[in-house]
Amino acid sequence: MILITGATGSIGRPLVRRLRAAGVPFRALVRDAAKGRALGCDFAVGDFDDPASVEAALEGVDRLFLNGAGALPVPGEQPMVRQQKDAIDAARRAGVQRVVKVSVWHAHQGGRLAEGAHWEIEQHLKASGLGWSLLQPSGFMQNFVTGAGSFSADGDLVGSYGDARVSYIDCADIADCAAALLTGPYGAGETFVLTGPQALTQAEIAGMLSAALGRTVRYVDLPPDELAATLRSQGLPARFAEDVAVLLKEVAAGSLAATTTAVQDLTGRPPRTFAEFVSANREALAA
Ligand SMILES: NC(=O)c1ccc[n+]([C@@H]2O[C@H](COP(=O)([O-])OP(=O)(O)OC[C@H]3O[C@@H](n4cnc5c(N)ncnc54)[C@H](OP(=O)(O)O)[C@@H]3O)[C@@H](O)[C@H]2O)c1
């Protein structure tokens, strides 16, 4: 039995669809029973902030897909660190064999926001004695639907990427890689950097969105300091705004520009292109 956490998220939903289609026994952890019913699969209601509920959901589970919310604008330690460490400890007590965890590309000690938080969780998992596989994705194509790709209020893209390229990946491909690792013998003790098939500039993405949506989407490039000031003016804490600006400086220097063969290696087919993503998500992108 597999437990899927983050089952209602950008990766979790396609993962649920894929495992259901394959007839693989699994359970989804959801915070809200109505969302569980909408998934149309076996589910347990639970919350990372209620360790007993996670413990109960892990009964009879041998593989765990570990994923939750990204970095939050909160002071101090990111909640995901405590939440996922607790889930790993509960998995060990429940006799889970392997944890497949969604991390982030360039997770490292002392890294800003998700990069540092995921690194800490990775270390905890590696030291737990459990089998593990780590997925370190590049930026998600789905950010352009959820808003994490920074559409401004008037529908343009805003960032500090300059002309840098980003090898955005479709979350459906992350889900397919997770499915391969959750159902097959591969990948124990391995870390996979997952990218899309090509790296694109924000201007190229704005052009593709313009063509698909039938309106002009511009890319507005701001110096990092100005971007941080904009985020602060939107009410985000100063430290969070600074961390975002620092991370975007790294991306502007090309930190997410490379592509890897990991999706092809794990799934036997190439990752989806940005054009395929746009065509499959036209309605959500237009909303
Ligand atoms: N966005 C990117 O470009 C990117 C790139 C690399 C790595 N990542 C990593 O990918 C992961 C997923 O990020 P995302 O923002 O895309 O996620 P997402 O789609 O928003 O999904 C988050 C999932 O976690 C669940 N969740 C949140 N808090 C929970 C809690 N306290 N207990 C149980 N479940 C909880 C949510 O359930 P509800 O439906 O109840 O809210 C949802 O199913 C993050 O760790 C992030 O660091 C993101």
Side-chain angles (χ1 to χ4, degrees), residues 6 8-10 31 35 47-48 67-68 83 103 118 137-138 140 143:
T8 53
S10 306
R31 289 195 284 186
K35 285 190 180 182
D47 191 309
F48 286 130
N67 187 32
Q83 292 174 342
S103 177
H118 280 302
S138 186
F140 295 175
N143 291 350

Side-chain angles (χ1 to χ4, degrees), residues 253-270:
S255 66
L256 300 182
T259 56
T260 69
T261 61
V263 172
Q264 170 89 47
D265 298 343
L266 281 168
T267 67
R269 51 152 195 81

Side-chain angles (χ1 to χ4, degrees), residues 22 39 55 103 123 140 145 166 227 229:
L39 286 176
E55 191 120 28
S103 177
Q123 301 315 301
F140 295 175
V145 174
V166 177
L227 183 82

Side-chain angles (χ1 to χ4, degrees), residues 105-131:
W105 196 2
H106 304 302
H108 66 279
Q109 186 169 22
R112 310 261 174 158
L113 299 173
E115 290 186 353
H118 280 302
W119 181 85
E120 268 195 59
I121 303 163
E122 288 185 357
Q123 301 315 301
H124 192 76
L125 177 57
K126 288 177 178 175
S128 69
L130 291 163

